[in-house]
Amino acid sequence: MGLTNAICYSGFRSGQHPDRGDGAINPSYEEILEDLKILSYNSNFKLIRVYDSGENSEMVLKVIKENNIDIKVMLGIWLSAELSNHKNCEWLDSIPDEVLRNNKALNLQEINNGIRLANEYPEIIVAVNVGNEALVDWTDHLVNVDTIISYVKLVKKSINQQVTVAENYKWWANHGSALAKELDFIAVHVYPIWENKDIDEGMSYTIENLLEVRNALPKSRIVISEAGWASLASEFGDRASEEKQLQYINEMASFTKEMNITTFIFEAFDEEWKGDPGNLMGAEKHWGLFTVDRKPKKVMGELYSHLNEKR
């Protein structure tokens, strides 16, 4: 995809959320436009990643096109569970076979939506990602790797854009060889803070992770599809802070620029809907470079001082 400033984007604000079984409350056209104007300001971010091919992602593409915003997109195709992974996830109940069969039908519908969008927006969508962390042993939306390979082949023959799958670095290093052969590049997630690393080890551990993948899959081109540092988290204690987020993002930017690796920072805006609704300090809610009310954190302070006046 080429070297560029890239970021993961999900625009759900306070009171909004994707479909969790009772329907979604999506951002409005105007809210998405505001977000994209923030991200594209002064060409700070020219490439975003969205995670599915549903109504909200289609609206993002529509806003970009109708407003001639200088942003390209890596489109997601979200895969729901086709296997019940309750034995590996203590918090997950066994998923009934009927639900799994229905999920497979939904996945095929999602794939068709992704193919349609890729063909409708060829000037905006530069790559399509089939499945996000659907292969790791701790996922609640497990899909068999051979099934994902078949989905990748279907998508590749139906569109002109590059096709990938996004997974944790350890899965790629240990299990990724067959899938990697089918892809234009591999999309890798690295999160040192989740592996009990503090900021003094954050970047060195990230490099170790990437080298592990490179050594296992030397012929595959690597794109970092998620990397970030939480600014607040009850799970991480003082390892999470805006100062440490600033340091990690800056170190990551320097390294990936030197190594010419396209990197999607996770993520643009904090998302209150994620994680435990009873824990406002939960890590899942605080990865954004901007707060949920669209104010820049320290990592973005200099670039967006005009947004910080009322903070």
Side-chain angles (χ1 to χ4, degrees):
M1 286 185 290
L3 180 64
T4 186
N5 294 332
I7 197 162
C8 301
Y9 171 62
S10 181
F12 296 102
R13 303 185 182 213
S14 297
Q16 299 173 345
H17 54 76
D19 189 355
R20 297 175 292 187
D22 55 354
I25 301 177
N26 289 323
S28 68
Y29 184 105
E30 291 75 19
E31 288 170 332
I32 293 171
L33 178 58
E34 179 188 13
D35 287 350
L36 296 178
K37 285 183 175 179
I38 290 172
L39 295 178
S40 63
Y41 174 75
N42 206 24
S43 297
N44 287 325
F45 296 100
K46 302 184 73 171
L47 176 62
I48 62 173
R49 177 187 177 191
V50 297
Y51 283 79
D52 63 29
S53 293
E55 180 182 5
N56 186 51
S57 295
E58 186 165 3
M59 182 67 76
V60 171
L61 295 167
K62 181 180 180 182
V63 170
I64 292 172
K65 182 176 182 179
E66 291 184 352
N67 295 275
N68 197 29
I69 298 173
D70 186 18
I71 284 181
K72 304 299 184 184
V73 174
M74 182 164 82
L75 180 70
I77 290 176
W78 185 265
L79 299 179
S80 299
E82 296 187 14
L83 299 169
S84 181
N85 199 27
H86 58 281
K87 291 183 179 180
N88 289 324
C89 302
E90 295 180 357
W91 46 270
L92 182 65
D93 293 332
S94 177
I95 304 175
D97 289 343
E98 181 180 355
V99 173
L100 296 174
R101 287 193 295 270
N102 185 61
N103 283 350
K104 187 170 185 68
L106 291 174
N107 287 344
L108 292 172
Q109 180 180 336
E110 172 81 353
I111 289 167
N112 287 332
N113 283 342
I115 290 170
R116 174 180 61 83
L117 292 175
N119 289 322
E120 285 184 11
Y121 294 91
E123 303 303 319
I124 297 173
I125 296 171
V126 295
V128 173
N129 179 85
V130 183
N132 180 72
E133 294 181 347
L135 292 164
V136 287
D137 57 11
W138 40 262
T139 186
D140 63 357
H141 49 283
L142 184 65
V143 180
N144 180 275
V145 66
D146 290 333
T147 300
I148 289 185
I149 288 174
S150 71
Y151 291 161
V152 165
K153 289 180 177 179
L154 172 60
V155 173
K156 286 190 72 173
K157 74 177 185 180
S158 304
I159 67 173
N160 293 321
Q161 292 92 334
Q162 296 183 342
V163 177
T164 189
V165 172
E167 282 299 336
N168 175 268
Y169 77 93
K170 185 64 74 172
W171 187 90
W172 282 119
N174 292 344
H175 310 290
S177 58
L179 177 57
K181 293 175 183 177
E182 305 295 336
L183 302 174
D184 295 298
F185 60 91
I186 58 174
V188 179
H189 294 178
V190 286
Y191 284 110
I193 195 172
W194 274 120
E195 297 190 58
N196 301 313
K197 305 301 180 184
D198 208 336
I199 193 61
D200 58 332
E201 297 180 278
M203 197 61 228
S204 61
Y205 191 68
T206 296
I207 294 171
E208 287 179 25
N209 298 164
L210 296 172
L211 286 175
E212 189 174 347
V213 177
R214 166 59 60 233
N215 291 335
L217 303 170
K219 295 183 179 179
S220 295
R221 180 161 61 95
I222 293 174
V223 165
I224 301 172
S225 48
E226 286 186 17
W229 200 274
S231 61
L232 177 70
S234 56
E235 299 93 327
F236 303 149
D238 61 7
R239 287 187 289 127
S241 71
E242 288 196 29
E243 291 79 10
K244 292 178 179 180
Q245 182 187 56
L246 167 65
Q247 181 177 336
Y248 183 75
I249 298 303
N250 285 345
E251 290 177 353
M252 175 65 78
S254 296
F255 170 75
T256 54
K257 182 177 181 180
E258 179 183 354
M259 301 303 294
N260 195 29
I261 303 173
T262 298
T263 300
F264 291 84
I265 297 301
F266 189 85
E267 62 179 325
F269 304 101
D270 284 349
E271 296 185 82
E272 290 183 350
W273 70 271
K274 287 188 170 182
D276 180 359
N279 181 11
L280 298 180
M281 293 180 60
E284 296 286 357
K285 305 178 191 299
H286 299 287
W287 293 89
L289 305 189
F290 298 82
T291 66
V292 72
D293 58 357
R294 277 48 189 170
K295 299 301 181 184
K297 297 181 185 178
K298 289 185 177 180
V299 65
M300 292 284 101
E302 291 186 11
L303 295 176
Y304 291 91
S305 58
H306 62 291
L307 296 180
N308 218 9
E309 295 172 357
K310 297 181 180 180
R311 190 178 177 192

